[in-house]
Amino acid sequence: MSGPRPYALQDLSHAQFAARLSVSKRPVIALPLGSQEEQGPHAPMGDYVAAERIALAACEAANAICAPVLPFGFAEFFRGFPGGMQLRGTTFRAVLRDMIDSFVDHGIDRIVIVNGHSTNAPLIAEVVHAVRRETGVLVPAIHLWRSLPDAIWAAAHGNNAGAARGHGADPVTSVMMHLAPDLVDLSQGRPASRKAVFGLPSDPHFASARFGAASIDLPLDATEVADDGIGSGDPALSSARAGELFTEFLVGHVADFLTYFGSCDPRCPASTPAGIS
């Protein structure tokens, strides 16, 4: 479409945004978060694109407004791969708090975080708890990749769902094949092959190893676990069709929640939106 997208804050003038706020029911604001990190030798590092595109599509469907994406996240264990851009925990918390305050300071209190980088999750929790303590505003967070149900995995991969899943494989590889197919080269990918740590089998998420029946957390760099950055799964099983299924589900899921939260009082979680029994 020509002209500014009414659901994309970056396209709007301050006057156009103010007009959206002047209606009786103010729009929900989505804050997409992502990361600039390695995704294996076959996929682009800018996986924040997925969170941004999903959040924008959801806001269009829900008549909400999508803020500009925060493209950098907290990912200490990816520092060993050049090209990644990681924020320190203190920096990430400060930036996210400033993003939220930029809206709350103007009385805009229906805000939803759309997170496309799972390692951000504990820091997001710290920030939103602090926001609620200090302002009374409750800010929900949707963690995209954790939101995919088993039924969608089965529809995308059938009996191969477990083999397709993991960092450097799905869901991100398939989603990027759907959203930006020219940026993915599956000929460069291969099944995960992790190295041992202290003689112990390393875990898929680069930060622990198995000892007996349990995992022991370790401050590892991903390069010490997987030379190619693939933590688990086989990217050869990824496909644009699987990415389309993942993306369609997530856009609908996020849009449905944005619509629902638009009828909620973010300062009173005990209340129920009108029309909901």
Side-chain angles (χ1 to χ4, degrees):
M1 62 176 291
S2 60
R5 296 166 294 178
Y7 52 88
L9 182 58
Q10 67 204 50
D11 289 5
L12 303 179
S13 70
H14 73 84
Q16 289 168 326
F17 182 57
R20 290 292 306 273
L21 300 180
S22 66
V23 298
S24 58
K25 184 178 180 180
R26 288 186 165 190
V28 177
I29 304 296
L31 299 183
L33 311 178
S35 183
Q36 169 76 12
E37 67 183 41
E38 67 82 16
Q39 288 288 343
H42 58 284
M45 289 187 287
D47 66 13
Y48 63 86
V49 171
E52 179 184 42
R53 296 274 293 274
I54 290 167
L56 281 166
C59 285
E60 181 179 18
N63 197 32
I65 294 179
C66 186
V69 66
L70 176 61
F72 312 122
F74 176 71
E76 283 293 318
F77 42 76
F78 288 133
R79 286 187 180 274
F81 286 96
M85 300 176 70
Q86 295 82 24
L87 299 182
R88 297 179 181 88
T90 51
T91 305
F92 178 85
R93 288 190 294 266
V95 171
L96 180 58
R97 181 60 192 264
D98 284 349
M99 292 171 69
I100 293 171
D101 285 349
S102 294
F103 296 100
V104 174
D105 286 351
H106 292 276
I108 304 165
D109 55 8
R110 288 185 177 86
I111 303 163
V112 176
I113 293 168
V114 181
N115 178 43
H117 177 55
S118 296
T119 314
N120 289 339
L123 301 185
I124 291 170
E126 287 186 46
V127 172
V128 296
H129 277 285
V131 168
R132 189 176 182 201
R133 282 195 307 271
E134 297 164 21
T135 70
V137 174
L138 189 152
V139 178
I142 300 173
H143 301 292
L144 291 175
W145 314 127
R146 299 178 184 179
S147 298
L148 291 167
D150 289 343
I152 296 298
W153 278 99
H157 287 294
N159 294 332
N160 288 324
R165 189 171 190 163
H167 184 87
D170 268 6
V172 173
T173 295
S174 284
V175 168
M176 294 307 292
M177 290 178 73
H178 171 58
L179 296 177
D182 292 343
L183 302 183
V184 180
D185 181 3
L186 287 186
S187 71
Q188 300 301 310
R190 60 183 180 183
S193 178
R194 297 191 304 276
K195 294 180 283 188
V197 179
F198 297 129
L200 303 172
S202 55
D203 283 329
H205 300 296
F206 309 114
S208 61
R210 299 291 294 180
F211 183 76
S215 290
I216 307 295
D217 283 357
L218 297 165
L220 298 168
D221 190 272
T223 57
E224 297 175 301
V225 176
D227 292 330
D228 60 4
I230 299 177
S232 61
D234 183 356
L237 298 172
S238 301
S239 68
R241 174 57 181 158
E244 182 180 17
L245 290 172
F246 292 143
T247 301
E248 286 181 352
F249 172 83
L250 290 170
V251 168
H253 175 65
V254 174
D256 287 347
F257 183 75
L258 294 176
T259 300
Y260 183 86
F261 193 62
S263 298
C264 295
D265 181 350
R267 299 173 187 271
C268 186
S271 64
T272 302
I276 304 295
S277 58

